[in-house]
Short mmCIF file of all heavy atoms in Angstrom, two decimals:
data_model
loop_
_atom_site.label_atom_id
_atom_site.label_comp_id
_atom_site.label_asym_id
_atom_site.label_seq_id
_atom_site.Cartn_x
_atom_site.Cartn_y
_atom_site.Cartn_z
N LEU A 220 -45.28 -10.25 26.25
CA LEU A 220 -44.80 -10.02 27.61
C LEU A 220 -45.88 -10.39 28.62
O LEU A 220 -45.58 -10.65 29.78
CB LEU A 220 -44.39 -8.56 27.81
CG LEU A 220 -43.18 -8.11 27.02
CD1 LEU A 220 -43.03 -6.59 27.09
CD2 LEU A 220 -41.93 -8.77 27.54
N PRO A 240 -41.29 -12.48 23.47
CA PRO A 240 -40.89 -11.37 22.59
C PRO A 240 -40.24 -11.87 21.29
O PRO A 240 -40.37 -11.22 20.25
CB PRO A 240 -39.83 -10.62 23.45
CG PRO A 240 -40.19 -10.96 24.83
CD PRO A 240 -40.71 -12.36 24.81
N GLN A 241 -39.61 -13.02 21.38
CA GLN A 241 -38.98 -13.58 20.17
C GLN A 241 -40.03 -13.93 19.11
O GLN A 241 -39.85 -13.62 17.93
CB GLN A 241 -38.18 -14.85 20.57
CG GLN A 241 -37.16 -15.25 19.53
CD GLN A 241 -36.13 -14.18 19.30
OE1 GLN A 241 -35.48 -13.75 20.23
NE2 GLN A 241 -36.02 -13.72 18.06
N SER A 256 -35.63 1.07 25.90
CA SER A 256 -35.14 -0.27 26.22
C SER A 256 -33.68 -0.37 25.80
O SER A 256 -33.25 -1.41 25.29
CB SER A 256 -35.96 -1.29 25.50
OG SER A 256 -35.75 -1.21 24.10
N ILE A 258 -29.51 -0.24 26.49
CA ILE A 258 -28.58 -0.54 27.55
C ILE A 258 -27.52 0.56 27.55
O ILE A 258 -26.74 0.67 26.63
CB ILE A 258 -27.96 -1.91 27.31
CG1 ILE A 258 -29.08 -2.88 26.92
CG2 ILE A 258 -27.11 -2.33 28.51
CD1 ILE A 258 -29.45 -3.93 27.81
N GLU A 259 -27.49 1.33 28.64
CA GLU A 259 -26.71 2.59 28.62
C GLU A 259 -25.23 2.42 28.42
O GLU A 259 -24.66 3.22 27.70
CB GLU A 259 -27.03 3.37 29.90
CG GLU A 259 -28.45 3.85 29.90
CD GLU A 259 -28.68 4.92 30.95
OE1 GLU A 259 -27.84 5.04 31.83
OE2 GLU A 259 -29.71 5.60 30.86
N PRO A 260 -24.55 1.47 29.06
CA PRO A 260 -23.11 1.45 28.85
C PRO A 260 -22.69 0.86 27.49
O PRO A 260 -21.48 0.84 27.21
CB PRO A 260 -22.54 0.61 30.02
CG PRO A 260 -23.72 0.03 30.69
CD PRO A 260 -24.97 0.52 30.05
N ILE A 268 -27.86 -4.47 17.53
CA ILE A 268 -27.82 -5.89 17.16
C ILE A 268 -28.20 -6.82 18.32
O ILE A 268 -28.19 -8.04 18.14
CB ILE A 268 -26.40 -6.31 16.67
CG1 ILE A 268 -25.36 -6.15 17.77
CG2 ILE A 268 -26.02 -5.55 15.43
CD1 ILE A 268 -24.10 -6.93 17.49
N GLY A 270 -30.10 -9.22 20.47
CA GLY A 270 -31.23 -10.06 20.15
C GLY A 270 -31.07 -10.78 18.81
O GLY A 270 -31.86 -11.66 18.51
N ASP A 271 -30.07 -10.41 18.03
CA ASP A 271 -29.78 -11.16 16.79
C ASP A 271 -29.13 -12.48 17.19
O ASP A 271 -28.89 -12.77 18.34
CB ASP A 271 -28.76 -10.38 15.93
CG ASP A 271 -29.39 -9.16 15.29
OD1 ASP A 271 -30.57 -8.91 15.60
OD2 ASP A 271 -28.72 -8.49 14.49
N GLY A 273 -25.98 -15.48 15.77
CA GLY A 273 -24.81 -15.64 14.91
C GLY A 273 -23.62 -14.82 15.38
O GLY A 273 -23.69 -14.16 16.43
N ILE A 275 -20.79 -11.91 15.78
CA ILE A 275 -20.87 -10.48 15.73
C ILE A 275 -19.97 -9.96 14.62
O ILE A 275 -18.79 -10.32 14.57
CB ILE A 275 -20.42 -9.86 17.08
CG1 ILE A 275 -21.48 -10.17 18.14
CG2 ILE A 275 -20.20 -8.38 16.94
CD1 ILE A 275 -21.15 -9.54 19.48
N LYS A 316 -33.12 0.60 15.74
CA LYS A 316 -33.11 -0.77 16.19
C LYS A 316 -34.33 -1.54 15.70
O LYS A 316 -34.26 -2.66 15.25
CB LYS A 316 -33.02 -0.78 17.72
CG LYS A 316 -33.05 -2.18 18.30
CD LYS A 316 -32.91 -2.11 19.83
CE LYS A 316 -33.06 -3.52 20.39
NZ LYS A 316 -32.94 -3.53 21.86
N SER B 345 -17.73 -11.69 22.03
CA SER B 345 -18.70 -12.65 21.48
C SER B 345 -20.12 -12.14 21.67
O SER B 345 -20.37 -11.25 22.48
CB SER B 345 -18.54 -14.00 22.20
OG SER B 345 -19.13 -13.94 23.47
N ARG B 346 -21.03 -12.67 20.88
CA ARG B 346 -22.43 -12.27 21.04
C ARG B 346 -22.96 -12.69 22.38
O ARG B 346 -23.70 -11.99 23.04
CB ARG B 346 -23.28 -12.92 19.92
CG ARG B 346 -24.77 -12.59 20.05
CD ARG B 346 -25.54 -13.04 18.87
NE ARG B 346 -25.12 -12.43 17.65
CZ ARG B 346 -25.47 -11.20 17.26
NH1 ARG B 346 -26.24 -10.49 18.03
NH2 ARG B 346 -25.01 -10.71 16.17
N GLU B 350 -24.72 -10.22 25.09
CA GLU B 350 -26.04 -10.47 25.71
C GLU B 350 -25.92 -10.54 27.22
O GLU B 350 -26.78 -10.07 27.96
CB GLU B 350 -26.63 -11.75 25.13
CG GLU B 350 -26.88 -11.59 23.63
CD GLU B 350 -27.61 -12.78 23.00
OE1 GLU B 350 -27.84 -13.77 23.69
OE2 GLU B 350 -27.88 -12.71 21.78
N ARG B 352 -23.72 -8.98 29.09
CA ARG B 352 -23.59 -7.65 29.63
C ARG B 352 -24.92 -6.92 29.63
O ARG B 352 -25.26 -6.22 30.58
CB ARG B 352 -22.54 -6.84 28.81
CG ARG B 352 -21.11 -7.22 29.13
CD ARG B 352 -20.14 -6.41 28.29
NE ARG B 352 -20.05 -6.88 26.93
CZ ARG B 352 -19.87 -6.08 25.90
NH1 ARG B 352 -19.80 -4.77 26.06
NH2 ARG B 352 -19.77 -6.56 24.68
N ALA B 353 -25.69 -7.11 28.58
CA ALA B 353 -27.02 -6.50 28.50
C ALA B 353 -27.89 -7.00 29.65
O ALA B 353 -28.57 -6.21 30.30
CB ALA B 353 -27.66 -6.85 27.17
N GLU B 356 -26.98 -5.40 32.91
CA GLU B 356 -27.24 -3.96 32.98
C GLU B 356 -28.73 -3.67 33.07
O GLU B 356 -29.15 -2.83 33.86
CB GLU B 356 -26.67 -3.22 31.78
CG GLU B 356 -25.17 -3.12 31.77
CD GLU B 356 -24.66 -2.17 32.86
OE1 GLU B 356 -25.42 -1.31 33.28
OE2 GLU B 356 -23.51 -2.33 33.25
N ASN B 357 -29.50 -4.30 32.18
CA ASN B 357 -30.90 -3.93 32.05
C ASN B 357 -31.69 -5.16 31.58
O ASN B 357 -31.94 -5.28 30.38
CB ASN B 357 -31.02 -2.76 31.07
CG ASN B 357 -32.43 -2.19 31.04
OD1 ASN B 357 -33.37 -2.85 31.46
ND2 ASN B 357 -32.52 -0.98 30.54
N ALA B 360 -34.81 -4.62 29.30
CA ALA B 360 -34.48 -4.27 27.93
C ALA B 360 -33.95 -5.49 27.18
O ALA B 360 -34.29 -5.70 26.02
CB ALA B 360 -33.46 -3.16 27.90
N ASP B 362 -34.75 -8.52 27.73
CA ASP B 362 -35.86 -9.41 27.52
C ASP B 362 -36.67 -8.99 26.28
O ASP B 362 -36.97 -9.83 25.44
CB ASP B 362 -36.78 -9.41 28.78
CG ASP B 362 -37.95 -10.36 28.65
OD1 ASP B 362 -37.72 -11.53 28.31
OD2 ASP B 362 -39.07 -9.93 28.89
N SER B 364 -35.64 -7.44 23.88
CA SER B 364 -34.82 -7.64 22.66
C SER B 364 -34.78 -9.12 22.27
O SER B 364 -34.15 -9.47 21.30
CB SER B 364 -33.41 -7.14 22.89
OG SER B 364 -33.39 -5.79 23.16
N GLY B 365 -35.41 -9.98 23.05
CA GLY B 365 -35.50 -11.38 22.70
C GLY B 365 -34.40 -12.23 23.33
O GLY B 365 -34.12 -13.33 22.88
N ARG B 476 -25.62 -2.54 36.51
CA ARG B 476 -26.75 -1.88 37.15
C ARG B 476 -27.76 -2.87 37.75
O ARG B 476 -28.42 -2.57 38.70
CB ARG B 476 -27.45 -0.95 36.16
CG ARG B 476 -28.39 0.00 36.87
CD ARG B 476 -28.70 1.18 35.99
NE ARG B 476 -27.55 2.05 35.84
CZ ARG B 476 -27.50 3.01 34.93
NH1 ARG B 476 -28.50 3.23 34.12
NH2 ARG B 476 -26.45 3.79 34.85
N ARG B 484 -40.23 -11.95 34.19
CA ARG B 484 -40.96 -11.23 33.17
C ARG B 484 -42.30 -10.75 33.74
O ARG B 484 -42.94 -11.46 34.52
CB ARG B 484 -41.22 -12.13 31.95
CG ARG B 484 -41.87 -11.38 30.84
CD ARG B 484 -42.01 -12.22 29.61
NE ARG B 484 -40.72 -12.43 28.98
CZ ARG B 484 -40.47 -13.45 28.13
NH1 ARG B 484 -41.43 -14.30 27.85
NH2 ARG B 484 -39.32 -13.57 27.58
#
Side-chain angles (χ1 to χ4, degrees):
Chain A
L220 293 170
Q241 198 60 57
S256 68
I258 315 249
E259 292 194 345
I268 63 163
D271 289 4
I275 290 183
K316 177 177 175 180
Chain B
S345 76
R346 178 172 300 279
E350 296 185 356
R352 283 180 283 144
E356 287 292 336
N357 188 341
D362 182 51
S364 298
R476 195 161 290 166
R484 185 175 288 161

